[in-house]
Amino acid sequence: MKTDDISRRMHLDGRVLFYFLMAWAAAADQIRYAVPEEMEKGSIVGNIARDLGLQTEDLSKRSVRIVSRGKTQHFSFSLTNGYLSISEKIDREKICAHTSPCLLIVELIAQNPLQLYQFEVEIQDINDNAPRFQEEELLLDISEISVPGTLLSLPRASDQDVGVNSIQDYHLMENVHFKTVVSETRDQKEAKLILERALDRENVSVHHLILVATDGGDPVRSGTLQIRVFILDNNDNPPVFSHYVYKVTVDEDVAEGTLLTTVTATDADQGINAEVTYSVGLPPLGLPPKVQIDSQSGDVYLTGTLDFEDTAFYEIKIHAKDNGGLVGESRLMIEVIDRNDNSPTITITSLSTPISEDSKPGTVIAILNVHDRDSQENGRVTCFISENLPFHLEYSFSNYYSLVTVQLLDREEAFEYNISIIAEDHGTPVLTTSEMIRLLISDINDNAPVFDSPSFTAYVMENNPKAVSIFSVKARDSDWDQNAIITYSLMNNFKEDASRFSYLSINSGTGVIYALRSFDYEEFKELKVQVKAHDGGSPPLSNNDTLTIVVVDENDNRPQILFPSPSMDESTGVEFVPRSSDPGYLVTKVVAVDADSGSNSWLSYQILRNTDPGIFTVGLHNGEIRIACSFLEKDALRQMLVVSVKDSGQPSLSSTVTVTVLLSDSIPDILSDLSSHPNSVVSETSPTLYLVIAIVLISCLFLIFILVMIEL
């Protein structure tokens, strides 16, 4: 079995062992674990919940999870037991190349309250790569006159492992003329071939050597290179560069084909042995060369594009070879200068939406991370909100920001916010990135219903039909959804007569008010009722308004005659008027009232019938009955007047009264006139007439009594 196969199996058998190491606690109690690469999927890294002080039973409640920014996630977190485990095999060389230590930053985020935890996992190298040479065979030339101690450059082997698992030594298989000298440059082992004994081309023209590169792993891995050394004659001076190291500083955005520098090497030999050609060797660390050299002039040109974020430094070996086969060596070190060619990136790791409008100032809405791949000032980022909004960003740590509220919110003022987060770097020119966060505001019941008017007045005609709509009230609520659903009701405020409350009802959903009974203007002229509107919130909010119902009069009452007062048997009133009375004489006055109001109570008087027409007139508006002309002998003693009293309603209503007027200058005349018409009088008499006669007799007796008293 090959050495590589044996070492790989031993490695695979050893990978089942688990261990972790708490490396150190930084100022923020930074936790670091250490695991070897290539561990099986599901291998335990550590109990991160315990180490962070999180309770296992709270992991699911707080939705603890690993934050991912779009990269491959190498670990998984168990909400059941709080262990951090490997989710896929990790190849340290793919992740970190030659960077050591190889650290993976893992971030955990927890909700309720929002908390962010950060820790490191160090991926430790295992010896899973053997040293390798780029070429299988190396051809070298050396002059036969080379003295012992002459050095020949050898190519480096590459090993993707790091630390002790990388290349630790070079040695030659058994050989009497050559041996290797190992030196260390920039953390890299390099070997040179040194001549131990003088050469004799005539004895041996070609030496076959085997160079072995070994690492320091357990087990040790190795790689070999076949070397053929050709012995040349008489060329005893190798080319020598003017500088052992050429240093070039170049911007990462320099154009392809740019001349970087010119190298120069000289050879102390003469003639053809002094002619030098230039070439580029394999750079350290196995990176592909990005330069090309003119073999004759030594001009070094850029053949590809540079990216500071990928590689900030190149070290390239330059060879100068003469025609005798001697090689001189120099190094070209290219330092790449960063340009501001990367915009910041914004990653929202947590977002809480919607939030309640009664959230206190300082409530965390979102946690976001800002990152810029550039370096120094080009990679320094400032994050801010573009508009004047009730939020601001608070810096946490490691380029994390918290978006928090700075004041109480009002959903009725704004039910959502579009928050533009802007990140800009400090490079030249400045590069910016923006991210939009849409935040919804949830409603609470903080607004009571408001009526359209501070008070309402409804005019309703009396004698209205029952169950008819007479008015509609409307209230509005600035809240939303259930908090804005309004229910209407009537409040009983009829302190004097609670029965009036039964006249009205209201539709609780629409605010339409109905009359349950007919109104009577003569009973009451207006109603005042409190209308209550309450919303559907919890607890509900309410508001009251006053509704005044004005009952409009309808002409539903006839005029009522007060004088002369009609008796139940419709007897007439009697007035005595001397025949000698002049026109204009006031006979009597008809007095009437109307229970209605307004124009419905405006009364007018009219004589409908008269025993002798034209003798009397009645005042149109005052009801005064006066003599219109002088009496004639033919005029009847007893005048019957039917007076109509009519209101001004539409349609108008009226009442009538009969007034009896007796024409006589003295009481005996009245009596003689009455006796001269016994039949007619008797036939037309009534109890009232007898009452009048009695009154006349009493009056006569009273006059006689007065005269007697005067005589005495």
Side-chain angles (χ1 to χ4, degrees):
M1 183 179 295
K2 293 183 180 180
T3 303
D4 290 348
D5 295 335
I6 294 174
S7 60
R8 179 175 294 276
R9 173 162 298 182
M10 293 177 66
H11 161 63
L12 292 174
D13 292 340
R15 284 190 304 178
V16 299
L17 297 177
F18 161 78
Y19 69 100
F20 75 90
L21 175 63
M22 183 71 73
W24 69 84
D29 292 331
Q30 181 72 43
I31 296 175
R32 177 184 288 185
Y33 298 97
V35 295
E37 65 175 326
E38 302 292 341
M39 291 188 71
E40 292 295 330
K41 179 179 178 180
S43 298
I44 302 300
V45 177
N47 191 334
I48 185 61
R50 181 195 63 199
D51 296 337
L52 291 176
L54 299 175
Q55 299 298 322
T56 305
E57 57 271 21
D58 292 338
L59 298 179
S60 295
K61 296 178 182 179
R62 298 187 64 190
S63 300
V64 181
R65 70 182 191 278
I66 294 177
V67 178
S68 174
R69 291 195 294 181
K71 298 182 179 180
T72 302
Q73 187 57 256
H74 301 286
F75 304 97
S76 61
F77 177 76
S78 173
L79 293 174
T80 303
N81 53 33
Y83 280 99
L84 184 71
S85 59
I86 295 175
S87 60
E88 64 176 8
K89 281 188 176 182
I90 301 175
D91 187 348
R92 192 205 65 81
E93 286 72 28
K94 288 184 179 180
I95 298 174
C96 297
H98 284 76
T99 302
S100 182
C102 179
L103 297 178
L104 294 180
I105 306 300
V106 182
E107 296 166 344
L108 280 182
I109 190 166
Q111 306 284 344
N112 302 321
L114 284 171
Q115 286 182 296
L116 184 69
Y117 305 94
Q118 189 179 84
F119 56 94
E120 300 172 343
V121 179
E122 180 182 355
I123 308 303
Q124 295 183 332
D125 185 49
I126 64 174
N127 193 25
D128 58 342
N129 294 281
R132 292 185 58 189
F133 289 92
Q134 187 176 15
E135 303 291 339
E136 294 182 356
E137 185 177 39
L138 175 65
L139 303 179
L140 294 176
D141 295 331
I142 187 171
S143 176
E144 68 173 340
I145 62 174
S146 300
V147 297
T150 300
L151 294 175
L152 297 178
S153 296
L154 295 176
R156 293 179 182 174
S158 61
D159 191 333
Q160 294 184 4
D161 295 323
V162 295
V164 71
N165 294 327
S166 65
I167 296 173
Q168 300 298 314
D169 193 23
Y170 294 87
H171 65 272
L172 287 175
M173 303 296 284
E174 294 182 1
N175 183 273
V176 297
H177 287 86
F178 299 92
K179 73 173 184 178
T180 55
V181 176
V182 180
S183 61
E184 185 170 348
T185 304
R186 294 182 59 86
D187 298 327
Q188 292 287 318
K189 302 284 186 178
E190 110 178 329
K192 289 191 178 182
L193 198 61
I194 185 171
L195 182 62
E196 285 268 87
R197 298 174 60 181
L199 300 172
D200 185 359
R201 182 182 176 281
E202 285 70 27
N203 187 19
V204 179
S205 61
V206 179
H207 290 266
H208 296 274
L209 309 176
I210 298 177
L211 178 64
V212 180
T214 58
D215 61 23
D218 184 16
V220 176
R221 294 177 178 269
S222 63
T224 60
L225 174 66
Q226 302 289 332
I227 303 176
R228 284 195 295 169
V229 182
F230 296 91
I231 310 304
L232 303 178
D233 191 30
N234 293 330
N235 187 27
D236 56 351
N237 290 290
V240 177
F241 282 92
S242 59
H243 295 85
Y244 178 72
V245 176
Y246 291 88
K247 295 182 179 180
V248 176
T249 300
V250 61
D251 291 338
E252 65 173 325
D253 58 353
V254 68
E256 185 176 349
T258 299
L259 174 64
L260 299 179
T261 188
T262 299
V263 299
T264 304
T266 59
D267 195 306
D269 294 322
Q270 293 182 344
I272 193 171
N273 289 330
E275 295 179 1
V276 177
T277 57
Y278 302 95
S279 63
V280 176
L282 178 68
L285 309 181
L287 296 174
K290 287 185 177 288
V291 298
Q292 183 178 22
I293 191 169
D294 188 302
S295 62
Q296 300 301 318
S297 65
D299 292 337
V300 181
Y301 297 93
L302 183 67
T303 58
T305 58
L306 302 177
D307 189 347
F308 174 85
E309 287 69 43
D310 289 340
T311 305
F313 183 84
Y314 294 89
E315 182 178 337
I316 301 172
K317 188 179 293 186
I318 305 295
H319 293 159
K321 184 177 182 181
D322 62 21
N323 286 331
L326 297 181
V327 177
E329 182 182 282
S330 181
R331 301 183 187 280
L332 173 61
M333 295 185 178
I334 303 174
E335 182 182 359
V336 181
I337 304 300
D338 182 43
R339 303 293 294 175
N340 194 27
D341 59 344
N342 291 281
S343 298
T345 59
I346 301 175
T347 303
I348 299 174
T349 60
S350 180
L351 175 63
S352 298
T353 182
I355 66 169
S356 176
E357 64 176 320
D358 63 345
S359 298
K360 296 181 179 179
T363 300
V364 178
I365 299 168
I367 295 179
L368 50 95
N369 176 266
V370 181
H371 177 70
D372 195 310
R373 294 183 62 205
D374 294 320
S375 64
Q376 298 181 356
E377 285 300 295
N378 294 333
R380 189 162 67 91
V381 179
T382 300
C383 195
F384 58 90
I385 300 175
S386 63
E387 301 178 21
N388 185 21
L389 297 175
F391 313 99
H392 79 277
L393 290 173
E394 291 182 353
Y395 181 78
S396 299
F397 65 91
S398 187
N399 288 332
Y400 275 90
Y401 289 84
S402 298
L403 179 64
V404 300
T405 60
V406 296
Q407 65 184 50
L408 289 174
L409 305 176
D410 188 352
R411 192 207 68 85
E412 289 70 45
E413 181 178 333
F415 64 89
E416 72 172 353
Y417 291 92
N418 291 315
I419 308 170
S420 179
I421 309 296
I422 297 177
E424 65 177 27
D425 59 29
H426 289 243
T428 303
V430 175
L431 299 180
T432 62
T433 300
S434 63
E435 186 75 22
M436 184 67 71
I437 295 178
R438 182 171 180 259
L439 177 65
L440 300 178
I441 309 300
S442 60
D443 185 48
I444 63 170
N445 193 29
D446 58 345
N447 290 278
V450 177
F451 285 93
D452 290 346
S453 174
S455 62
F456 298 100
T457 301
Y459 294 89
V460 181
M461 186 71 70
E462 68 172 327
N463 303 314
N464 54 286
K466 297 180 181 179
V468 68
S469 168
I470 61 174
F471 198 69
S472 177
V473 295
K474 188 68 176 178
R476 306 180 189 278
D477 197 306
S478 300
D479 293 320
W480 183 73
D481 199 23
Q482 185 68 28
N483 295 331
I485 298 177
I486 298 176
T487 301
Y488 301 91
S489 61
L490 296 178
M491 301 175 63
N492 187 357
N493 63 337
F494 299 106
K495 297 180 180 179
E496 300 82 4
D497 187 359
S499 63
R500 294 186 184 179
F501 190 69
S502 62
Y503 277 77
L504 302 172
S505 72
I506 189 169
N507 187 308
S508 61
T510 63
V512 176
I513 297 175
Y514 298 90
L516 300 180
R517 299 168 61 183
S518 294
F519 296 138
D520 187 355
Y521 177 84
E522 287 69 42
E523 181 182 353
F524 56 86
K525 296 178 174 55
E526 71 175 22
L527 272 172
K528 287 186 180 293
V529 62
Q530 290 288 323
V531 181
K532 180 179 180 180
H534 65 86
D535 57 31
S538 180
L541 299 179
S542 63
N543 208 342
N544 298 336
D545 205 347
T546 301
L547 171 64
T548 301
I549 300 176
V550 178
V551 181
V552 180
D553 182 46
E554 187 178 48
N555 194 28
D556 59 345
N557 290 281
R558 295 179 179 277
Q560 180 182 359
I561 298 175
L562 302 179
F563 183 83
S565 176
S567 62
M568 295 301 294
D569 57 2
E570 297 183 356
S571 60
T572 61
V574 178
E575 296 293 340
F576 296 95
V577 177
R579 282 185 172 273
S580 60
S581 298
D582 296 327
Y585 178 83
L586 176 61
V587 177
T588 187
K589 181 177 181 178
V590 178
V591 179
V593 294
D594 196 308
D596 296 320
S597 66
S599 61
N600 294 330
S601 64
W602 297 347
L603 303 179
S604 60
Y605 302 84
Q606 183 181 2
I607 296 176
L608 296 181
R609 295 194 306 274
N610 193 351
T611 303
D612 293 313
I615 297 178
F616 300 97
T617 62
V618 63
L620 179 63
H621 299 296
N622 56 24
E624 294 180 349
I625 300 175
R626 295 180 181 273
I627 297 174
C629 59
S630 300
F631 296 117
L632 301 177
E633 291 295 332
K634 65 177 183 176
D635 294 334
L637 168 66
R638 186 168 177 267
Q639 297 286 331
M640 303 292 294
L641 284 73
V642 178
V643 179
S644 171
V645 182
K646 181 173 65 173
D647 60 29
S648 299
Q650 293 294 330
S652 62
L653 300 177
S654 63
S655 298
T656 60
V657 66
T658 301
V659 178
T660 301
V661 179
L662 298 179
L663 303 179
S664 177
D665 287 326
S666 63
I667 293 178
D669 293 337
I670 295 174
L671 296 176
S672 63
D673 288 341
L674 291 175
S675 62
S676 63
H677 304 284
N679 294 331
S680 61
V681 173
V682 173
S683 62
E684 297 177 5
T685 57
S686 64
T688 303
L689 179 59
Y690 291 110
L691 178 61
V692 171
I693 295 173
I695 292 172
V696 171
L697 293 176
I698 292 172
S699 298
C700 292
L701 292 174
F702 179 74
L703 289 174
I704 295 171
F705 174 75
I706 294 300
L707 292 175
V708 172
M709 291 299 294
I710 291 173
E711 291 293 333
L712 293 176

